[in-house]
Amino acid sequence: MLGFASSTWAAEDLSKVVLRVGDQTGATRAKLEAAGLLKDVPYQIQWSVYPAAVNLHEALKADAVDIGSAADSPTVSAIAGGSKIKVVANFSNGGLGTSLIVPAGSVIKSIADLKGKTISPTTRGSVAHYLVLGVLKKAGLTPSDVKLAFLTPTDASAAFQAGSIDAWGTWGVYLARTVGTLNATELIDGVGINTGNSVLSATDSALANQRKVAAIADFADRIERGYTWSRENKSAYIDFYAQFTKQDKDTVESLYPSEAAYRRTPIDQAFAASLQNVFETWKEAGVLSGSLNLSDYVYRGLPTD
């Protein structure tokens, strides 16, 4: 864990640094505030909120934000699409937190029952898309055996509620709200299919600025401390997330294990190989093409102690 005092740069050197942070659904900022981890930031944070990883990565590609967290699968898609970013930190929960859900009372009882059904993997290239592909493969099915409906999270939520899709691959706040409000059933989660990696990416332009690198290192440490706070303060986390998602505490508690499982992992060759595997999986599915060495997009210079 990084103690900021150990950074190369003294706190006063960062007072004029503005770190532009992209935040999916606003969840990162809300949790860090709930944990009291935004009280002593020695630089300025400019927050921007996005509904999903695809929108966050569009902002990173446009250099509208400096850093942002997303699952590894959309991150690899963004890199393949020409985004000038590098992964600077990773947090993994082993595949929890992304699920394929079906409506209450659905005739779909197993993944084999998905044949011929309409599934929304939410957006193309998302972590839920990756999950859906893995689930179909696990069931001995191919994407041509089902109808894939790529939708924004909001549109997918509306379609699920209206009954116009049979299953929905989703995550985070969308999963919490749908399970809580509609009593949706989790058909399968991402364990054994998805890596569960939540990667923090930074633009090449931000990484060219040494003071911003120091700020990014400090911010990554705050994310790590946020996960520690969640693990050590279960009741406080559930209170926070129930309020944030506007769901009852029982619903939030059922999703708590996916949050509590997150740990920071090394940014090493094994991690780069994991990213490479994601790319090869996307290629096999026809989502991406060409060749890419993901090791070139892993930034190993972030201070971690």
Side-chain angles (χ1 to χ4, degrees):
M1 187 178 293
L2 170 74
F4 188 76
S6 67
S7 171
T8 302
W9 301 98
E12 58 267 22
D13 291 326
L14 300 187
S15 61
K16 294 183 180 180
V17 172
V18 178
L19 188 64
R20 302 173 301 162
V21 180
D23 188 5
Q24 282 194 65
T25 72
T28 298
R29 181 180 185 177
K31 188 178 79 170
L32 293 180
E33 285 178 340
L37 291 170
L38 293 180
K39 294 178 179 178
D40 59 347
V41 180
Y43 45 89
Q44 301 173 61
I45 299 179
Q46 184 181 97
W47 297 92
S48 298
V49 178
Y50 302 96
V54 63
N55 312 100
L56 171 62
H57 274 293
E58 286 169 355
L60 282 165
K61 187 174 184 179
D63 203 23
V65 295
D66 297 315
I67 61 172
S69 294
D72 52 3
S73 41
T75 301
V76 169
S77 295
I79 291 170
S83 187
K84 298 185 187 315
I85 57 173
K86 289 183 174 62
V87 175
V88 299
N90 182 59
F91 306 85
S92 181
N93 70 357
L96 294 169
T98 303
S99 298
L100 186 63
I101 59 176
V102 296
S106 173
V107 298
I108 300 171
K109 305 298 182 185
S110 70
I111 57 176
D113 296 334
L114 293 168
K115 186 172 184 178
K117 300 296 191 293
T118 300
I119 306 170
S120 177
T122 313
T123 49
R124 188 182 299 274
S126 68
V127 64
H129 185 190
Y130 194 90
L131 172 65
V132 168
L133 291 176
V135 169
L136 292 176
K137 189 173 185 177
K138 188 180 180 75
L141 302 173
T142 68
S144 61
D145 290 318
V146 299
K147 180 180 178 183
L148 296 181
F150 294 103
L151 301 166
T152 67
T154 301
D155 288 344
S157 177
F160 189 86
Q161 189 164 353
S164 55
I165 57 176
D166 300 303
W168 179 21
T170 187
W171 62 85
V173 63
Y174 305 109
L175 177 61
R177 288 174 177 166
T178 308
V179 169
T181 302
L182 301 179
N183 197 29
T185 299
E186 182 182 72
L187 188 67
I188 188 171
D189 64 26
V191 176
I193 299 174
N194 288 10
T195 63
N197 288 340
S198 175
V199 300
L200 180 65
S201 300
T203 62
D204 286 352
S205 58
L207 292 173
N209 182 318
Q210 288 181 294
R211 286 180 172 81
K212 277 203 175 182
V213 170
I216 290 167
D218 175 78
F219 189 80
D221 175 61
R222 290 173 195 273
I223 292 176
E224 183 176 11
R225 285 189 281 155
Y227 285 124
T228 300
W229 173 80
S230 297
R231 288 194 303 275
E232 296 179 352
N233 300 275
K234 180 178 178 180
S235 294
Y237 173 80
I238 289 173
D239 286 344
F240 144 69
Y241 204 56
Q243 183 176 14
F244 180 74
T245 60
K246 297 179 173 58
Q247 297 303 318
D248 63 84
K249 291 182 183 179
D250 286 344
T251 297
V252 171
E253 185 164 9
S254 71
L255 301 169
Y256 174 74
S258 67
E259 169 73 14
Y262 275 105
R263 299 291 189 280
R264 191 169 186 174
T265 68
I267 298 298
D268 54 16
Q269 196 54 41
F271 172 72
S274 175
L275 291 180
Q276 193 69 41
N277 184 64
V278 171
F279 175 70
E280 299 304 330
T281 300
W282 281 139
K283 278 183 64 176
E284 182 184 347
V287 175
L288 298 177
S289 59
S291 60
L292 198 62
N293 182 6
L294 269 302
S295 185
D296 295 338
Y297 297 89
V298 175
Y299 182 83
R300 297 172 172 83
L302 203 67
T304 55
D305 53 34

